[in-house]
Each structure stands twice: as C-alpha cells, then as structure tokens.
C-alpha cells in the first residue's frame, strides 16, 4: 500500500503544481490558502496535503515555509502515464476498482475544485448519480466484511429480543444510509426475521439518496421508510420518534459532524432504553480518503479537534470508548478489533436511556401559516405552458420582461418541486432552497434540468449564491439575457420608436394591475387559453406604517422596490461590524 500512497502523493504534487500553488521556491501556508476557493475548509485540506507531501519527501518544511522541488509539465505527464499502467491491475480487481475510478476522477478535477469552478459533490455525484461512490461501500472485500459484522450484530440482538419476547416488533434507524452499502447487507441478513421488523428507517441529509433507495429496496422491503435526519439538530421536529428505535446503525457518518458528544446525544434520543448503537467508523488516516471524501465540506465540519485523529475527523477506538461512556452508552465493545488495520472499526454500545437535549425555543414564523406562504405567491400570475413569444401590440418593454421573469420563476418552482418531491404550491419564493431539502448533490441535478429547460448555462454554485426562487430568477435575468433572448425573441426587441403610447384603448394595459388580486383579469391576447391566474383567498390591510427601510426613504419607495422585485440586501452601515 505504501507504493500506491507514494504514487497518489506524486499525482497530488502534479495537480497542485499545475494549479500554480507550488511554483514558488518557498511558500508558507497562508499564501497557499489565499490561492484556493473557500479557504475555510480547503485551507484545512491543503494543510493536511502539505503534511502528506512533506512525509513523502516531495516538500521540505522548516517550521514556517515549505520548499518545493523543481517540476515540469513533462514530469507530470510521466507520473500520469505511470498511474495509467498501475491502475490497470486495480481495475481488474473488484476489491480496488471503485477506489481507482473515484480517486482518479477527484484528482483530475482537483484544480477546478480548488479554483471554485466546480463543486466536489458535483464531481463525485455527477447528475446526482451514486455510481462513483456506491462501490466504495459495498461489493469489495473490506467494505463487505465490516458491513457483515454490523449485520451480524444486529441479527444477534434481534434473536435475543425474540427469545425474550416471541412477539417482538423491532424498529431500526439507519443514520446517513447514503447509497445503502450497509443497508443492503443488513436487509439480506434480516430476511429470516422480517415478520419481526416493524420499521427500517432509512435516513440521510440528502433526499437524493432516497430516490436511489426507493428504486433499489422499496419493493423488496416494504417495512423501509425514508426520512431526512440532520444529526446537528435536536431530534424533535424531524419525524424521528424519540425513544422509538431498538437499533441505530451508522456507517462512516458520525465523524462528519461538528461535535461528537452532541451528535451522540441526538442519536441517543431516538433509542429506547437498552437500545443498541452500531457504528462502522474510520480507524486510521488514509491518503485515499483525504483525496476523495476529504474534498467534501462535511469532512472538515468538526470543531472538537482534541477528540479527532490528527488531520482527520475520525476517532481512535479508545476515544470512542471514552466518549460513549461519558454520554451514557455502556458495555462498549469492538467486535472486529483484530481487523482495525484494514481502516475501519465496528463499535457496539448500549444506551442507559437517559437523554440530554437542548430545547429549541425558536418560533417557526416562516412556517406558521401555509396561507401566509401561498398569499405571498398568489398575486403572481403564471405563464405555465403559455406562448410567451406571442406578439403583444401596445404592451411596453417592462411588461414583456416581466412576462419572461414570471416564466423563469415558474420553471424554477416546478423543477424544484419535481426534484424535491414537494408540492409546488408550498414553495415560498423567498424561502431558502436548503429549507426544502436541496443540497449540493440534488443541486447538480436541478441545475442540469434548469439549464435544459431555459437553454442557459448555470453553475451549481449559483444555487447557493442565489439561494431562493426570487434571487435565482434575478441572477438569471441579469446574467443569462442572451440565452433567454434566444428563447423569447421579444425579450430584447425594442418597442416601436421607444414611445410608451399604445395603439388603442383596448391595448392600454397596466401590467402592474395583473398582480393586484382576485378581481384582476389577465387579458386573453397576452396569455391565451392556457393561462393560470392564482387567486388570493385572503385580503390584508396594513393600517399605519412607519420605520426605516432598506434603500427607501419613504414607504412609497419601499412598495415600489418590492413591486419591482428589487434586491434590498446590502452591507450593514448602521453599526460597525
């Protein structure tokens, strides 16, 4: 394995050199951090990378600066040629094939990832596909061995429960189930006891994994349910029954959290007294994981570095024992201790039933009334399936642009609804995409279908820079005008001689009145037969209003900004940050 690590280190050196990070004879870490995108966590990744390169003697470090040896593009070519020869054996071996494909994919994309041109998740999960990572977690000797230990431990527990109570109904919670590498093995081992399985709750942060799970396991195992579960948050309000589960399974998940103690407390809430936690976790550092999963932001979330392995979010076995016992998990043991040198460890512990949770006293104002959400969107008429390109005699340029804007809004809302499996009417145009469950994996897929639908060229990062329907619409309208003009010729077409006069009284349409409520009617010559006018069921009266408003000296200016969809967010000026 040392030979492979040495070759991976050389490839890492090649990519950092080609990116321009190592071309100075001597560089310090702060200089390097300033050259990478999102220095908060790629800066941490870079620090560990430099340690690996120093360990393998590609750099020297005098305590303050790193010195790089001279390099050339021809030498980089030679290293990649060597990799191509070595990887042939990896690709022929089912135990290493997936690792070879994944690490090469991530290394080749490394310069673009560090430059912020592409998200690491976009590379690892292209179009939300699990193909690149699925083989890491199953169908290879090491992964299958540790998954089998987890499954056997679960079966041993279930058999004992049935022995004590022949009518026992078991509920299992898998946290961060991901591509289902562990789930597949557990499902198979549970087959003889399926009548005793009341529920297998398959959870993850990303809904993208549920689409994968339902397609692969849904019909075979009807007791499987899917839930979004964020370990950073209290269990309450996440659809996870407190004290409702007999087993909690987690494979390579718990380390990817900010505070391992708080994480264990949140897991413990879901367990009944004497329920078991079954963990499959890293047992050591690995250059392979650093060059692959280490490029994901979740790898560097941890804030309790004193408990973690150096340069890694993992915990050593004895640290796991200490932390579990401190948090009220007893009888901790390691059923695969003799194979920890393979890079993983299995940890089993029993809950004492005492839970510690921080109460959440926040008031969910944004979600307090579905009527309030629908009201905000109800005064926007939709051009769903309507021919936006129809010529509109006498309508001024502002109305035409607004028509296109509404079409863009409608496409974003419908595609978001399809991707996240949520009711389109429940989507608030000002609510963050993340609040509806959009993450970087699903974001890759959403950007692709938006690009196809609108013939534009968005990058996945745009979803997080402009993180709600209205913000993303404004960004598209401002930055993709040429592409939209191709779809809608009238978007940039001048109106006559520039005059706003109209040809006849019938054509004199005040576009702003289209959005004033249920008594307004959208003219047929604009929308055609397929128009949909959302009607508001409630009216609001605002009696007396004063205050200080962003970019607005008066209330009238504020209303004008709001009606035009102006972005009023700016840097705070009223106090010194």
């Amino acid at each position: 394995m040392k030979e492979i690590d040495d070759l991976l280190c050389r490839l890492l050196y090649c990519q950092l050199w080609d990116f321009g990070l190592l071309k100075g004879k001597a560089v310090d870490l702060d200089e390097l951090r300033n050259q990478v995108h999102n220095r908060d966590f790629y800066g941490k990744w870079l620090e560990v990378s430099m340690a690996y390169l120093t360990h393998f003697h590609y750099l020297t470090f005098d305590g303050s600066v790193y010195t790089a040896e001279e390099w050339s593009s021809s030498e980089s070519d030679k290293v990649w040629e060597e990799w191509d020869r070595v990887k042939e054996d990896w690709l022929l071996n089912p135990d290493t094939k997936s690792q070879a494909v994944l690490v090469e994919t991530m290394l080749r994309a490394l310069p673009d990832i560090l430059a912020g041109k592409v998200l690491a998740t976009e590379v690892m999960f292209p179009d939300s596909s699990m193909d690149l990572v699925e083989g890491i977690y199953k169908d290879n000797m090491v992964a299958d061995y540790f998954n089998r230990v987890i499954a056997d431990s679960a079966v041993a527990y279930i058999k004992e429960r049935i022995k004590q109570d022949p009518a026992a109904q078991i509920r299992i919670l898998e946290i961060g189930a991901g591509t289902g590498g562990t789930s597949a093995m557990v499902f198979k081992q549970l087959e003889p006891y399926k009548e005793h399985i009341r529920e297998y709750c398959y959870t993850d942060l990303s809904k993208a994994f549920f689409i994968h799970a339902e397609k692969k396991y849904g019909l075979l195992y009807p007791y499987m349910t899917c839930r979004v579960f964020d370990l950073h948050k209290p269990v309450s309000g996440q659809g996870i029954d407190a004290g409702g589960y007999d087993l909690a399974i987690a494979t390579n998940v718990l380390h990817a959290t900010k505070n391992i103690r708080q994480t264990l407390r949140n897991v413990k809430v879901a367990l009944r007294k004497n329920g078991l936690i079954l963990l499959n976790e890293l047992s050591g550092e690995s250059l392979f994981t650093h060059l692959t999963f280490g490029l994901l932001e979740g790898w560097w979330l941890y804030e309790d570095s004193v408990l973690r392995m150096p340069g890694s979010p993992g915990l050593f076995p004895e640290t796991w024992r200490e932390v579990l016992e401190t948090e009220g998990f007893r009888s901790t043991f390691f059923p695969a201790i003799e194979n920890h040198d393979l890079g993983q460890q299995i940890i089993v512990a029993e809950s004492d039933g005492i839970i510690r949770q921080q109460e959440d006293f926040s008031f969910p104002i944004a979600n307090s009334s579905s009527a309030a959400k629908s009201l905000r969107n109800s005064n926007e008429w939709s051009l769903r399936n309507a021919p936006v390109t129809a010529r509109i005699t006498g309508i001024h340029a502002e109305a035409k642009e607004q028509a296109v804007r509404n079409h863009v809004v409608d496409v974003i809302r419908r595609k978001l609804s399809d991707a996240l499996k949520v009711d389109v009417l429940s989507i608030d145009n000002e609510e963050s995409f993340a609040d509806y469950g959009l993450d970087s994996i699903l974001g890759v897929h959403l950007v692709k279908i938006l690009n196809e639908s609108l013939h534009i060229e968005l990058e996945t990062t745009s979803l997080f820079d402009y993180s709600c329907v209205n913000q993303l619409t404004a960004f598209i309208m401002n930055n993709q005008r040429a592409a939209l003009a191709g779809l809608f010729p009238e978007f940039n077409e001048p109106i006559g001689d520039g005059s706003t006069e109209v040809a006849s009284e019938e054509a004199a349409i005040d576009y702003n009145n289209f959005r004033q409520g249920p008594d307004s009617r959208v003219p047929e010559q604009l929308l055609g037969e397929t128009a949909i006018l959302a009607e508001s069921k409630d009216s609001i009266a605002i009696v007396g209003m004063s205050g200080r408003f962003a970019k607005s000296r008066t209330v009238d200016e504020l209303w004008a900004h709001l009606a035009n969809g102006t972005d009023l967010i700016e840097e705070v000026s009223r106090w010194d940050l």
Side-chain angles (χ1 to χ4, degrees), residues 404-474:
V404 180
R405 183 186 302 275
N406 286 347
H407 179 72
V408 173
V409 166
D410 187 65
V411 169
I412 295 173
R413 286 168 59 83
R414 286 189 286 117
K415 298 306 180 185
L416 185 66
S417 168
D418 293 342
L420 301 179
K421 302 291 189 292
V422 297
D423 184 351
V424 68
L425 295 178
S426 71
I427 296 173
D428 185 328
N429 292 351
E430 292 291 344
E431 197 83 17
S432 167
F433 294 140
D435 291 344
Y436 295 104
L438 187 75
D439 52 52
S440 54
I441 300 174
L442 282 172
V444 174
H445 176 65
L446 180 58
V447 163
K448 180 183 178 183
I449 59 177
L450 288 177
N451 285 342
E452 290 172 351
S453 300
L454 296 171
H455 294 199
I456 58 177
E457 295 182 0
L458 278 183
E459 294 182 351
T460 306
T461 51
S462 300
L463 292 180
F464 305 98
D465 293 334
Y466 307 96
S467 57
C468 70
V469 173
N470 283 345
Q471 287 183 14
L472 186 60
T473 299

Side-chain angles (χ1 to χ4, degrees), residues 397 400-402 404-405 476-478 480-494:
K400 292 181 181 180
E401 180 157 338
Q402 188 65 45
V404 180
R405 183 186 302 275
I476 291 172
M477 295 291 288
N478 291 332
Q480 302 285 331
R481 298 185 70 87
L484 292 174
L487 273 182
F488 312 113
E490 289 185 298
F491 188 30
N492 284 333
E493 180 183 317

Side-chain angles (χ1 to χ4, degrees), residues 116-357:
K117 295 179 180 178
V118 65
L119 294 173
T121 46
E122 194 170 351
V123 178
M124 191 174 288
F125 303 96
D127 195 22
S128 303
S129 167
M130 308 295 151
D131 292 346
L132 276 178
V133 297
E134 190 172 21
I136 304 296
Y137 297 116
K138 68 174 187 175
D139 299 331
N140 67 76
M141 183 178 65
V142 173
D144 288 351
Y145 167 75
F146 286 101
N147 285 334
R148 189 174 295 110
V149 175
I150 286 280
D152 289 346
S153 300
V155 166
Y157 172 83
I158 291 169
K159 288 169 71 174
E160 186 61 29
R161 283 288 309 279
I162 294 172
K163 182 179 176 182
Q164 296 174 10
D165 176 10
Q169 290 291 295
I170 309 297
R171 297 181 74 194
I172 301 171
L173 176 71
E174 185 175 357
I175 302 163
T179 61
T182 298
S183 317
M185 183 69 74
V186 175
F187 284 145
K188 182 179 177 182
Q189 299 291 83
L190 291 180
E191 192 63 25
Y193 311 96
K194 61 184 178 183
E195 292 181 0
H196 292 277
I197 309 301
R198 178 180 163 193
E199 180 188 14
Y200 191 104
C201 189
Y202 191 109
T203 76
D204 206 284
L205 273 175
S206 174
K207 290 184 178 181
F209 293 113
F210 302 159
I211 299 169
H212 173 83
E214 287 168 352
K215 185 186 303 181
K216 201 144 193 176
Y217 309 116
L219 293 177
L220 294 173
Y221 309 105
Y223 50 72
M224 184 188 78
T225 61
C226 293
R227 296 265 193 287
V228 173
F229 183 25
D230 186 347
L231 278 172
H232 291 108
K233 300 176 181 177
V235 170
S236 175
Q238 297 198 63
I240 304 296
D241 290 343
Y245 295 90
D246 302 275
L247 290 171
I249 297 172
T251 294
N252 289 323
V253 174
L254 267 57
H255 66 254
T257 57
K258 294 180 181 179
N259 184 301
I260 204 68
R261 295 186 185 278
Q262 188 59 52
T263 295
L264 287 171
R265 290 170 196 171
N266 289 342
V267 174
K268 197 179 183 191
V269 171
L271 284 171
R272 62 189 287 274
K273 184 177 181 180
N274 302 325
L276 292 191
I277 186 171
L278 307 178
L279 305 180
N280 182 356
E281 279 285 343
L282 305 167
S283 62
E285 303 168 65
S286 161
L287 182 56
F288 168 79
T289 53
H290 176 70
L291 296 176
T292 53
F293 301 105
L295 288 166
L296 303 179
E297 190 167 2
W299 190 262
W300 304 101
L301 285 176
Y302 61 93
E303 298 171 350
D304 50 355
S305 55
V306 68
L307 297 175
R308 312 296 179 119
M309 301 174 189
S312 166
L315 284 71
F316 290 118
E318 285 311 307
T319 308
W320 272 118
R321 184 190 299 276
E322 176 188 341
V323 173
L324 282 163
E325 290 179 355
T326 302
E327 294 303 324
F329 287 93
R330 54 201 179 197
S331 308
T332 304
F333 72 100
F334 302 85
I337 193 169
E338 69 279 4
N339 289 309
H340 283 187
D341 59 334
L342 294 176
Q344 296 293 130
Q345 56 183 316
I346 304 297
I347 309 128
V348 182
E350 180 185 65
S351 170
D352 63 8
I354 301 172
I355 63 173
R356 298 162 64 188
Q357 281 280 276

Side-chain angles (χ1 to χ4, degrees), residues 499-512:
S499 170
T500 58
E501 291 184 7
V502 294
S504 66
E505 186 175 348
E506 287 78 17
I509 302 167
D510 180 358
Y511 179 81
N512 289 325

